[in-house]
């Protein structure tokens, strides 16, 4: 049989023969062939024994083996295939049948080797890529055993990958894996869906992002250290909290200040109103404060565009120079005092309703004008005013008649000029001025000096303290003193009627 097969196959292939199973095994192990034809009935080591030895040797376990047997039937064929044979050929067989089986199995073996080679190349390329990944990566089978660990994962786990391959991750790192990691990886396997999560690893003392990719054979795990990002996020969170607190502090300040405050964007739309501004606007047009946000000033207050306020706002927006004005807004019949400041986002406007102050100021001006007219018309009484330093600020016609000084001469002079030298030496002018300022009045009867005659006269006078804009004015009122003249019309004295 050996010679017959050698002649048949030798025409197309290089053939080597062995007289028994032991010799055949040694030849196969020493120089593995492309295919082995094994007779079941061989001495020393039969065909099934040789087949078992081949399949248990990693060096040749993929060798294609065709069993040759005289046993026919499906049961014998199944027995041979179950034993590990690639094909089963029943003797006797024709040369054509033998050649067909040999060629088919050689082609299958060749294809298998190509596939294995390509798979190995692909695996090698994948491993090369995974090894080059800067982040740790490992793969587990369905029993949670390590089947692959890249270099970065080996460094992270702190053990050689050769030691870890084949070990169960939960047994090997029972205390190192965070509960969240265990739960998420179990969920990925259970749901067969990728899961990504972040957790703090006590084992690594750092924050990690873990990406799990389940498959039919197990699960692949890729993770990376995100401690730097977490620190940056925490710093950003703290900074945002501080910014929010500062913003709230500023808003509280704006809310608490007495003046109304609003901010406008560069399109003159309201972006903020404090409580006082909301109160004023609400009283004027009957709308809640939040209804103004996002609406332009011009739409909110018709007529404001061409008003003094609108002109000033547009000027500050274009020039970037702060401005201040006080003007009357006719549609509301209200006086406003406004301070306008440019900002990078638009305008900051402080304003106050000063209608009451303006009315009071106008009333004061009217009263002062009436008083001035009364004082100027009082020809028989000397009425004049001093400032807090005692300088003359007002001098009526009666004062000019009594003391002889014209208004142009006396205004700005020290009021002590009408006191006698003795009184000035004793500080009487200052004392009476101080008394008028502190008590609101001062009165006395004393000698005073007049300009046109070198005499002193005793007058009764009364000083009244008036207050306006933190400036005290002291007015003096003297009864009319009649001069006493001689035959030459020189004044030699005076009397009070």
């Amino acid at each position: 049989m050996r010679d017959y097969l050698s002649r048949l196959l030798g025409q197309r292939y290089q053939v080597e023969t062995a007289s028994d199973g032991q010799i055949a095994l040694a030849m196969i192990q020493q120089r593995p062939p492309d295919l082995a034809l094994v007779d079941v009935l061989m001495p020393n080591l039969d065909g099934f024994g040789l087949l078992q030895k081949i399949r248990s040797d990693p060096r040749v376990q993929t060798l294609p083996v065709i069993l040759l047997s005289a046993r026919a039937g499906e049961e014998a064929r199944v027995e041979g295939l179950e034993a590990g044979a690639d094909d089963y050929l029943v003797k006797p067989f024709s040369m054509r049948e033998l050649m067909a089986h040999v060629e088919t199995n050689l082609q299958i073996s060749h294809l298998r080797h190509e596939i294995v080679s390509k798979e190995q190349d692909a695996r090698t390329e994948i491993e090369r890529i995974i090894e080059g990944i800067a982040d740790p990566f490992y793969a587990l089978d369905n029993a949670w055993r390590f089947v692959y660990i890249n270099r970065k994962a080996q460094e992270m786990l702190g053990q050689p990958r050769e030691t870890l391959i084949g070990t169960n991750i939960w047994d090997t790192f029972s205390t190192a894996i965070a509960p969240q990691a265990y739960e998420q990886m179990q969920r990925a396997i259970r749901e067969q869906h990728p899961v990504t999560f972040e957790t703090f690893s006590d084992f690594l003392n750092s924050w990690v992002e873990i990406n799990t990719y389940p498959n039919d054979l197990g699960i692949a795990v890729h993770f990376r250290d995100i401690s730097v990002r977490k620190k940056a996020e925490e710093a950003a969170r703290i900074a945002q909290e501080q910014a929010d607190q500062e913003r709230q502090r500023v808003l509280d300040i704006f809310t608490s200040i007495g003046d109304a405050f609003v901010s406008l964007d560069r399109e003159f739309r309201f972006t903020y109103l404090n409580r006082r501004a909301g109160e004023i606007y609400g009283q004027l047009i009957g709308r809640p404060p939040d209804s103004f946000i996002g609406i332009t000033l011009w739409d909110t207050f018709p007529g404001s565009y061409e008003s003094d306020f609108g002109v000033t706002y547009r000027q500050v927006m274009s020039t970037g120079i702060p401005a201040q004005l006080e003007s009357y807004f006719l549609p509301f019949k209200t006086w406003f005092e406004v301070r306008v400041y440019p900002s990078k986002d638009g305008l900051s406007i402080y304003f106050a309703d000063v209608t009451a102050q303006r009315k009071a100021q106008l009333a004061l001006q009217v009263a002062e004008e009436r008083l001035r007219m009364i004082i100027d018309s009082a020809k028989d009484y000397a009425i004049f005013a001093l400032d807090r330093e005692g300088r003359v600020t007002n001098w009526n016609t009666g004062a000019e008649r009594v003391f002889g000084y014209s208004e142009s001469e006396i205004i700005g002079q020290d009021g002590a000029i009408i006191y006698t030298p003795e009184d000035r030496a004793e500080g009487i002018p200052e004392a009476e001025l101080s008394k008028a300022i502190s008590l609101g009045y001062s009165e006395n009867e004393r000698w005073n000096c007049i300009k046109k005659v070198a005499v002193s006269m005793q007058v009764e006078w009364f000083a009244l303290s008036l207050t306006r804009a933190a400036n005290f004015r002291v007015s003096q009122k003297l009864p009319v003193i009649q001069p006493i003249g001689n035959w030459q019309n020189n004044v030699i004295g005076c009397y009070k009627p």
Side-chain angles (χ1 to χ4, degrees), residues 136-259:
F137 177 91
Y138 60 81
L140 307 171
D141 63 15
N142 286 322
W144 300 101
R145 293 182 299 239
F146 287 103
V147 294
Y148 177 78
I149 302 172
N150 77 343
R151 178 177 54 82
K152 292 297 292 185
Q154 175 182 252
E155 294 174 359
M156 180 206 69
L157 297 173
Q159 296 186 37
R161 64 181 107 187
E162 294 80 8
T163 304
L164 294 174
I165 295 298
T167 63
N168 184 285
I169 186 173
W170 312 128
D171 295 337
T172 306
F173 299 101
S174 58
T175 61
I177 297 178
Q180 183 186 8
Y182 177 85
E183 294 171 1
Q184 295 298 332
M185 291 171 69
Q186 291 283 356
R187 181 168 73 90
I189 287 290
R190 183 174 61 254
E191 298 177 359
Q192 283 295 294
H193 192 276
V195 174
T196 298
F197 60 95
E198 297 176 358
T199 186
F200 183 81
S201 171
D202 293 327
F203 178 70
L204 301 176
N205 192 32
S206 61
W207 278 91
V208 291
E209 178 188 85
I210 301 178
N211 302 274
T212 60
Y213 306 96
N215 53 68
D216 294 339
L217 302 178
I219 187 171
V221 181
H222 163 256
F223 55 100
R224 58 194 181 94
D225 189 331
I226 58 171
S227 298
V228 174
R229 194 196 80 196
K230 280 291 186 179
K231 289 180 180 178
E233 289 176 351
E234 180 65 13
R237 183 189 65 79
I238 293 174
Q240 184 61 47
E241 286 183 355
Q242 293 174 344
D244 291 342
Q245 292 173 358
E246 179 63 18
R247 180 176 181 274
Q248 187 59 48
R249 186 184 70 82
V250 173
L251 291 179
D252 290 343
I253 292 174
F254 286 149
T255 300
S256 63
I257 59 178
D259 285 350

Side-chain angles (χ1 to χ4, degrees), residues 15-36:
V15 180
E16 295 182 1
T17 61
S19 58
D20 60 39
Q22 289 290 358
I23 296 174
L25 178 61
M27 293 174 62
I28 289 172
Q29 291 175 335
Q30 184 176 4
R31 194 171 74 171
D34 294 324
L35 182 141

